Each structure stands twice: as C-alpha cells, then as structure tokens.
C-alpha cells in the first residue's frame, strides 16, 4: 500500500494527542497533579488538541474532495471512518471544558471534563484502528493485534509527552507516574509489534487468485493479460512495495529508537538522572518510532486487488 505522508502523519500526531489527553484526563481525575500550576494542565491540553487537530487536518489532504469531508460524518452506522470523525468531534467539547477547568481552578469540572475527554480519546483511537482492522482485503491489517498496537503506541507517546511536560515545568513529584507509564507503554509497544511482525512474516492465511475469482475448483488460476497496460490509481495506491532489507532496518529503528529507547530514558529519569532532557528526548524518539511504524504499516500491506496484477 502507498504510505501517504498525510495519513502517516495523521495516525502519528492524533494518536499522540489522544494518548496525552487520555492520561492527563484519567490521572487528573485520580488526583494526580492537583498541586501543579494552571499553566501546566492548560499547556498539556492545548498540546494534545494541537496534535489532534493537526492530524485531522492532515487526513483531509488524502481525500479526493476535502471540501466534502463533512459528509463522511453521516455514515456512522456503517463506516468506521465516519465513526472516527464523529468521535473526534464529540471529544472537543469535553476537552475544552477540561482546559477551562484546569486554567480557572474548577476541580469538580476538571474531573468531569477529564474523564469525558479520556473516554473520547479511547473511542476515537479505537475507531481509527478499526478503519484498518476491519478491512478483509488487506491481510496484514486484518489481525487481532492491530487494535492493541494502536492503543499501545498512543499510550506510549502520550505518556512520554506528559512526562516531558511535567519535567519541563519542574514538577519532580508529578514526573514519576507518567514516566512509569512511558516505561510500560514502551515495553507493551515493543512486545506487540514483535508478535505482530512475527505473525505477518510467518504468512497469515490470505486470499489467493483462486479464492478471489472463485475458480479454484477447476485448478490453478493465472492471468493471461494484465488488467491495465499503464500506471493507474490502483497501482499507485495498492501496488507500493518496500524492499525487505529496508523494511528490516526500519523495523529495527522503530523497535530500538522508538520503543525501547524512550522506556530506557524514562527509567533513567526515575532512577534520579536529569529528568527534563532525558524525557524530552524520550518523547521525540517515541514520536519518531511511531512515525516509522505507521509508515511500515502501509508500506508492507498488500491489497487483494494486486492478485490480478501478478
């Protein structure tokens, strides 16, 4: 599949934003960061909303007619893309309430807004993951680890960003919880991606030319002529292939620099090393790792339609 930059950026930025909004909303409701200055909470929510909005706007660039994007919201009964849009829109009001409550010091409303924002973040990330996991035509996406992988990477990048912000504000005590969550998120993302890639490389059952044409009963199927004689939309979008050696290198970057390194840096910060630079670097590496993993998710995917081009 063609790894469109707009979609790669969208899934990375919005996932990090929703991860940050989730952890901040949930932890604040549990009493975490109650003594922090209003500027800290407001900055965290604003950063989350900025990442979410930038990602959503980027996704519009992939549409054929971006000016008609609003129509996608009407298909929520049958489309995960539409459900994602609805969930994203519905998350903004509680997030803005959460932002106001943190800034003006309204603890009760902060709890309500935080929990509603966290719920909206979970729902939106789930819908985003299901856009891909529901597609039977792409065997690499129709896998039970795709949805947990989305959650793990959103949790990792969100926790890393929250820990970096707490360290930047000099909130030494508040750093401990998100830093520990970043460690857990890094370990979870690493384990899930290893298991997922191992399953994909082992050759998951997928469609064949025989099953796609329903002609398998009469023998092996092979095309006599290609469907098209020149480049077309299907080949541009579905026919992208990445060299195996390049994919292996990028996997190593995602696993080591993107997942393991942020967890290790967070551990060093928990052990007493200077937290601000370590956690800032960890957050940047986490975003880089997710970006690389998102690119690979598309580049390594194979669509059933390409069976007709062999």
């Amino acid at each position: 599949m063609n790894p469109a930059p707009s979609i790669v950026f969208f899934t990375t930025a919005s996932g990090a934003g929703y991860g940050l909004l989730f952890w901040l909303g949930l932890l604040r409701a549990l009493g975490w960061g109650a003594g922090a200055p209003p500027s800290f909470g407001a900055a965290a929510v604003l950063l989350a909303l900025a990442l979410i909005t930038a990602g959503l706007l980027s996704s519009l660039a992939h549409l054929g007619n971006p000016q008609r994007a609003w129509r996608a919201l009407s298909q929520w009964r049958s489309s995960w893309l539409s459900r994602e849009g609805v969930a994203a829109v519905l998350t903004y009001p509680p997030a803005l309430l959460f932002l106001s409550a943190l800034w003006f010091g309204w603890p009760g409303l902060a709890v309500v807004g935080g929990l509603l924002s966290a719920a909206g973040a979970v729902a939106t990330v789930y819908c985003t993951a299901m856009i891909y996991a529901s597609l039977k035509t792409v065997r690499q996406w129709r896998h039970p680890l795709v949805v947990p992988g989305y959650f793990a990477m959103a949790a990792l990048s969100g926790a890393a960003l929250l820990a970096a912000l707490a360290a930047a504000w000099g909130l030494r005590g508040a750093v401990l919880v998100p830093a520990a969550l970043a460690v857990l998120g890094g370990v979870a993302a690493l384990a899930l991606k290893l298991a997922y890639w191992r399953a994909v490389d082992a050759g998951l059952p997928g469609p064949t030319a025989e099953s796609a044409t329903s002609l398998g009963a009469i023998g092996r199927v092979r095309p006599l002529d290609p469907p098209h004689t020149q480049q077309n939309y299907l080949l541009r979008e579905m026919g992208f292939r990445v060299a195996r050696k390049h994919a292996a290198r990028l996997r190593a970057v995602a696993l080591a620099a993107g997942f393991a390194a942020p967890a290790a840096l967070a551990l060093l910060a928990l052990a007493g090393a200077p937290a601000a630079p370590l956690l800032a670097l960890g957050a940047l590496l986490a975003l880089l790792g997710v970006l690389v993993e998102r690119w690979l998710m598309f580049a390594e995917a194979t669509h059933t339609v390409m069976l007709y081009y062999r």
Side-chain angles (χ1 to χ4, degrees):
M1 299 283 285
N2 179 27
S6 58
I7 298 300
V8 172
F9 176 79
F10 157 62
T11 52
T12 301
S14 65
Y18 284 121
L20 174 57
L21 188 62
F22 170 78
W23 287 125
L24 183 64
L26 178 63
L27 293 177
R28 187 65 184 84
L30 295 175
W32 176 86
S39 59
F40 166 71
V45 176
L46 286 173
L47 176 59
L49 291 177
L51 289 169
I52 292 168
T53 304
L56 293 173
L57 291 176
S58 174
S59 69
L60 297 181
H62 195 64
L63 298 177
N65 294 291
Q67 68 273 17
R68 299 178 183 174
W70 61 273
R71 295 185 179 179
L73 301 179
S74 65
Q75 306 301 312
W76 56 270
R77 293 179 182 84
S78 58
S79 169
W80 283 106
L81 177 63
S82 182
R83 292 166 188 162
E84 176 200 43
V86 171
V89 170
L90 292 179
T91 302
Y92 275 96
L96 293 174
L97 172 65
F98 189 32
L99 171 63
S100 301
L102 291 174
W103 180 254
F104 292 107
W106 302 330
L109 285 178
V111 171
V112 174
L115 289 177
L116 290 176
S117 298
V122 170
T124 309
V125 172
Y126 179 74
C127 290
T128 302
M130 284 303 299
I131 292 174
Y132 306 102
S134 64
L135 295 179
K136 298 180 181 179
T137 52
V138 182
R139 70 175 184 88
Q140 290 89 347
W141 295 350
R142 187 71 169 180
H143 191 278
L145 291 180
V146 167
V147 174
Y150 264 79
F151 279 125
M153 282 177 280
L156 164 62
S157 52
L161 286 171
L162 186 58
L165 285 172
W169 254 257
L171 306 175
R172 180 61 189 175
V175 167
L176 302 179
V177 173
L181 291 172
V183 173
L184 296 176
V187 172
L190 184 68
L192 283 170
K193 290 312 299 183
L194 282 173
Y196 169 78
W197 280 327
R198 189 178 298 114
V200 170
D201 293 341
L204 295 172
T208 62
E210 289 74 26
S211 64
T213 59
S214 298
L215 298 175
I218 61 176
R220 184 174 178 272
V221 175
R222 63 181 181 85
L224 297 177
D225 294 296
H228 299 89
T229 58
Q230 58 187 1
Q231 186 76 3
N232 58 71
Y233 171 80
L234 290 176
L235 287 175
R236 287 195 304 270
E237 292 296 315
M238 315 297 183
F240 183 90
R241 292 184 181 180
V242 58
R244 183 172 298 180
K245 63 178 181 179
H246 296 320
R249 291 171 184 168
L250 291 174
R251 286 184 181 186
V253 170
L255 293 174
F259 304 153
L265 292 171
L267 274 176
L268 289 175
L270 289 172
L278 290 176
L279 294 175
L281 178 59
L284 289 175
L285 289 175
L287 292 174
L288 173 63
V290 174
L291 189 71
V292 172
E293 190 279 336
R294 295 294 88 184
W295 190 91
L296 278 172
M297 177 189 171
F298 289 94
E300 293 187 299
T302 53
H303 198 283
T304 304
V305 74
M306 296 312 297
L307 292 173
Y308 296 96
Y309 289 87
R310 291 180 178 176

